[in-house]
Amino acid sequence: MLSKKLDIPFNLYKESIFPIVEKTFSDEYVVTKINENEFRFLRILQSSKGREVMRRLTVIDRGVIKIVDKSLWIELDVTRIIVFTVLIDILLTLTYWKLNYVLFPLVFSLVVALTIFGWFMMIQEGNSFIVEKIEILRKQLE
């Protein structure tokens, strides 16, 4: 999980936070209230000529916003992407291992390097998204 914290002003009630969060995320996301202290957001899929567009596997597709004490935590769910990339890496490695024993160490190193680079880019994208949303929320909470 990628997460960051935003302090809530002391004069703001918990009940007034959900409409602010919903307004902030409403342009691209559907925000649902799980309970009084937790909200889930999910990216809205665009449709193309009546057909559903396939959901991309990105970091900013879904997340959770939690109210803990006097702070607001934004968390992004990255477990799906990590599991997907690990499974693809295992499949590629096993496939190439069966085909060619000589170049296996080189291919394995390349697969691991590309995976680490992909995860690094995923973390960068997630952190920039969270920072952007925290700045918007900070302005609206004041």
Side-chain angles (χ1 to χ4, degrees), residues 48-61:
S48 174
K49 297 182 182 177
R51 297 185 318 194
E52 286 295 320
V53 176
M54 241 173 101
R55 181 175 298 278
R56 294 182 329 161
L57 194 61
T58 62
V59 179
I60 58 175
D61 275 346

Side-chain angles (χ1 to χ4, degrees), residues 18 24 44 50 68 96 101 111:
F18 179 70
T24 303
I44 299 170
V68 180
Y96 203 82
Y101 294 108
V111 166

Side-chain angles (χ1 to χ4, degrees), residues 53-96:
V53 176
M54 241 173 101
R55 181 175 298 278
R56 294 182 329 161
L57 194 61
T58 62
V59 179
I60 58 175
D61 275 346
R62 64 179 64 193
V64 177
I65 300 170
K66 295 179 182 178
I67 301 172
V68 180
D69 295 330
K70 282 307 253 176
S71 57
L72 193 68
W73 285 87
I74 298 178
E75 298 178 349
L76 295 176
D77 184 16
V78 296
T79 54
R80 295 177 311 126
I81 297 172
I82 291 174
V83 168
F84 179 75
T85 56
V86 167
L87 289 176
I88 293 294
D89 289 348
I90 291 171
L91 181 67
L92 286 173
T93 303
L94 288 176
T95 302
Y96 203 82

Side-chain angles (χ1 to χ4, degrees), residues 12-25:
L12 194 63
Y13 295 106
K14 285 184 181 180
E15 296 81 24
S16 61
I17 293 175
F18 179 70
I20 295 171
V21 169
E22 190 174 30
K23 181 183 171 193
T24 303
F25 284 84

